[in-house]
Amino acid sequence: MKSIKKICCIGAGYVGGPTMAVIADKCSRINVNVVDINEERIAAWNCNNYEKLPVYEPGLKDILKRCRNRNLFFSNEIEKNIADSDMIFISVNTPTKTKGIGAGQASNLKWIEACARQIGKYAKGKTIVVEKSTLPVKTAKTIKSILQSFSKIDDENKIFHILSNPEFLAEGTAINDLEKPDRVLIGGEDQEAIDSLKEIYLNWINEEKILTTDLWSSELSKLIANAFLAQRVSSINSISALCESTQANINEVAKAIGMDTRIGKYFLKSGPGFGGSCFKKDILNLIYICNHYGLDQVATYWENVITINNWQQQRITQIIVNKMFGNVDGKKISILGFAFKANTNDTRESPAIKICNDLIEEGCFLSIYDPEVDIKQITLDLDQKPVNDKLILQNSSCWEYASTIQDSALNSDAIVILSDWDNFYDLDFENLINIMRKPSWIFDTRNVVDISKAIKYGFNVWSLGNGNIN
Ligand code: NAD
Ligand code: UGA
């Protein structure tokens, strides 16, 4: 078995960066090089100001302090690092296709293909290629045929083994998930290559947690894991609406069903709909694959997970408008939380984007606060510049960036909580009620607010899935 001494990871994103940081931290004898075509991103990974790292993850900066420029390097030198490495992870983006065959469902694999071609061209000798990105089942076949074309024409000494090693980390808990994973999955055909990758993980993970399987089961398991998790979120969100109509409480229902060990307590928190770069993309891809194999009923089943998710986002805006006397035109609404969940700066597919756009469309002036998302990102997501001039704040259909909860709430008619950052659990109602317009509303889509306390201070409260107060 080949012991790995030098790793290259193509893609310095939310997966490549944290995953390689943990490998470098746990395996000080392995040299880990993370490469990317994006120069700005690499510069940010190399920045001495740890507040400016491209990815916000609790615990990440401590690892970087230990490993960066010791055995963990970030650079744009893709060719050189491919040539020097004995194991190459592909960790690039695989978004949904926006045009052509399969648009709106299939994964766009152009970045994966580009990596395969670069590896085929620059790799030397025996190289293990690891699929870390989430991929449609059978992608390893495509990668293999591209790589083989290089060994045949270029250099017969080039030998490639392909492994599937999907990543199950969740943003916001990535470091913990990587350090203490529920399982590590390795799919492959060549036992020696599988053992080489397993040897790396054995540095910090017990053997019984490392599953090995065939390539196709491994690739498919990743899509299915995400589909099952998203399905649970849509299931509980669908029931949140029923709770609101029946004086039941979604938290009580989730607790009661979650204590059944067959159901389990995780992923039963209702919210404004799932976001993040992967759930929707991976289910769409699953739907595409099912249709491709003629499994229309299976495709329709999974489509409904997305239908409920879209509906949940829409109905929140409708509730806000209805409760505020059917009109929000000219009113100021404070938005707390723009990331798709707490503890990340990632806004991809965040429910906040749709909800904010819908409220702006209704004529609202939004004041948006998030502890980690910057003004530039929100501007891109809303596709609209913020207003700066306080004089035009009376205008409708615009937004401003707020640096504190207080600034956001000042003179607003309502607070809408969209992600569950720690500091939203303990809002200063006494202060807020005094600086807001009356009647003052709180719309809590994450069940973080102490409802009776907020009501005591004079707020009108709407809390998702709570039939007693809505
Ligand atoms: P990302 O967009 O944050 O990062 C991908 C990076 O790859 C980008 O920086 C991009 O510039 C770079 N890249 C693209 N093509 C390249 C090329 N040819 N050469 C060099 N660099 C290239 O994406 P991400 O969130 O890290 O996700 C990566 C993959 O991991 C996806 O398939 C995703 O589904 C999967 N995944 C993501 C998560 C997550 O929490 N974000 C979790 C598990 C799995
Ligand atoms: C998810 C999976 O949890 C990871 O295992 C997977 O690796 C990753 O996708 C991926 O492939 O990208 P992530 O999207 O980072 O991770 O975050 P989650 O914690 O799963 O949350 C996803 C969305 O569902 C968030 O918007 C979150 O607020 C929402 N959610 C989650 C709920 O509304 N309720 C819950 O109980 C759990």
Side-chain angles (χ1 to χ4, degrees):
M1 181 193 63
K2 185 176 179 181
S3 265
I4 303 301
K5 296 196 176 60
K6 190 160 179 193
I7 287 175
C8 169
C9 172
I10 310 179
Y14 282 85
V15 168
T19 308
M20 291 303 126
V22 170
I23 291 182
D25 197 30
K26 301 292 181 187
C27 314
S28 54
R29 278 180 298 179
I30 300 178
N31 222 316
V32 181
N33 288 275
V34 189
V35 296
D36 204 294
I37 35 174
N38 184 332
E39 290 182 8
E40 209 183 315
R41 207 164 216 191
I42 290 297
W45 278 111
N46 284 322
C47 181
N48 285 330
N49 180 352
Y50 287 95
E51 305 310 317
K52 294 204 167 146
L53 291 175
V55 170
Y56 172 78
E57 269 304 330
L60 177 61
K61 73 179 172 196
D62 297 327
I63 297 182
L64 290 183
K65 281 180 189 166
R66 284 196 291 276
C67 303
R68 206 173 57 183
N69 299 328
R70 179 192 76 181
N71 67 326
L72 174 66
F73 305 91
F74 293 90
S75 82
N76 299 111
E77 292 183 307
I78 301 176
E79 294 154 20
K80 178 182 172 300
N81 280 299
I82 288 176
D84 291 349
S85 298
D86 25 32
M87 181 175 276
I88 300 169
F89 286 79
I90 301 179
S91 206
V92 299
N93 38 318
T94 49
T96 306
K97 275 183 87 171
T98 52
K99 54 185 180 186
I101 299 166
Q105 282 188 342
S107 288
N108 187 342
L109 296 179
K110 84 173 183 191
W111 292 276
I112 295 287
E113 259 204 52
C115 289
R117 281 170 211 282
Q118 276 177 308
I119 297 169
K121 193 164 175 193
Y122 298 107
K124 290 186 181 144
K126 192 171 165 185
T127 309
I128 299 171
V129 177
V130 184
E131 296 174 342
K132 196 42 123 176
S133 298
T134 303
L135 298 167
V137 55
K138 296 273 175 178
T139 304
K141 204 170 154 197
T142 308
I143 297 178
K144 193 173 177 180
S145 64
I146 294 173
L147 293 176
Q148 276 176 349
S149 68
F150 282 91
S151 23
K152 275 187 204 139
I153 299 160
D154 242 27
D155 176 357
E156 281 185 6
N157 294 321
K158 286 186 183 184
I159 298 167
F160 297 104
H161 292 297
I162 300 157
L163 299 177
S164 158
N165 174 221
E167 185 47 61
F168 296 102
L169 69 80
E171 289 178 28
T173 53
I175 302 303
N176 189 58
D177 296 342
L178 288 162
E179 289 181 339
K180 298 186 202 96
D182 287 345
R183 78 311 204 179
V184 165
L185 183 59
I186 303 174
E189 289 164 344
D190 182 80
Q191 193 56 45
E192 268 195 39
I194 292 174
D195 289 343
S196 296
L197 181 55
K198 195 170 166 181
E199 190 188 47
I200 296 175
Y201 285 113
L202 282 171
N203 280 293
W204 77 98
I205 295 162
N206 286 336
E207 188 159 15
E208 62 270 20
K209 288 202 168 178
I210 305 177
L211 298 181
T212 56
T213 182
D214 61 277
L215 276 169
W216 317 133
S217 303
S218 175
E219 288 178 334
L220 188 58
S221 298
K222 171 63 198 177
L223 282 190
I224 304 310
N226 273 359
F228 269 60
L229 290 169
Q231 177 208 44
R232 277 176 74 97
V233 177
S234 277
S235 296
I236 202 72
N237 282 342
S238 72
I239 303 305
S240 71
L242 186 58
C243 285
E244 287 158 26
S245 304
T246 57
Q247 282 82 50
N249 182 322
I250 194 64
N251 295 330
E252 298 297 317
V253 173
K255 189 174 168 192
I257 64 167
M259 280 175 79
D260 185 328
T261 49
R262 293 169 303 173
I263 296 175
K265 65 180 178 182
Y266 297 105
F267 269 70
L268 287 181
K269 202 158 182 336
S270 62
F274 57 76
S277 61
C278 295
F279 277 0
K280 187 170 159 199
K281 153 179 92 71
D282 292 348
I283 294 179
L284 287 169
N285 190 214
L286 178 61
I287 294 166
Y288 183 73
I289 293 169
C290 291
N291 280 326
H292 172 81
Y293 288 105
L295 301 168
D296 299 353
Q297 288 82 352
V298 185
T300 305
Y301 174 79
W302 288 105
E303 253 166 33
N304 284 322
V305 172
I306 294 180
T307 305
I308 287 288
N309 200 51
N310 293 338
W311 174 74
Q312 182 79 344
Q313 296 180 13
Q314 276 161 20
R315 83 180 186 90
I316 284 169
T317 308
Q318 276 163 11
I319 286 165
I320 295 169
V321 175
N322 286 346
K323 294 275 177 196
M324 294 176 79
F325 314 114
N327 166 50
V328 289
D329 195 347
K331 290 181 182 166
K332 179 181 171 186
I333 292 189
S334 152
I335 300 289
L336 300 189
F338 197 83
F340 77 97
K341 59 186 273 198
N343 294 318
T344 178
N345 59 343
D346 195 348
T347 62
R348 290 176 289 180
E349 296 293 335
S350 176
I353 301 172
K354 164 98 181 114
I355 294 170
C356 289
N357 271 328
D358 286 351
L359 288 170
I360 289 173
E361 182 71 22
E362 286 289 331
C364 262
F365 166 55
L366 300 182
S367 183
I368 304 176
Y369 166 78
D370 187 287
E372 287 297 331
V373 182
D374 62 25
I375 189 167
K376 204 168 128 199
Q377 188 59 49
I378 301 178
T379 309
L380 278 173
D381 288 332
L382 296 182
D383 197 17
Q384 181 179 341
K385 284 192 178 140
V387 286
N388 298 316
D389 189 344
K390 296 278 174 202
L391 289 176
I392 57 167
L393 291 193
Q394 315 308 330
N395 281 359
S396 10
S397 295
C398 54
W399 69 280
E400 70 168 0
Y401 184 79
S403 319
T404 63
I405 294 175
Q406 274 231 338
D407 284 352
S408 172
L410 185 67
N411 296 325
S412 68
D413 299 271
I415 289 173
V416 179
I417 299 170
L418 292 182
S419 43
D420 48 347
W421 285 93
D422 276 352
N423 52 340
F424 302 163
Y425 282 84
D426 193 22
L427 295 176
D428 182 354
F429 298 125
E430 190 174 2
N431 171 265
L432 292 174
I433 198 79
N434 287 322
I435 61 170
M436 286 173 64
R437 294 204 325 155
K438 308 290 174 309
S440 317
W441 275 94
I442 294 179
F443 294 92
D444 179 10
T445 71
R446 296 280 187 175
N447 295 143
V448 300
V449 163
D450 181 337
I451 298 167
S452 48
K453 195 170 159 195
I455 291 174
K456 204 178 95 200
Y457 278 100
F459 280 100
N460 293 327
V461 183
W462 177 87
S463 177
L464 184 79
N466 191 332
N468 287 318
I469 58 156
N470 295 323

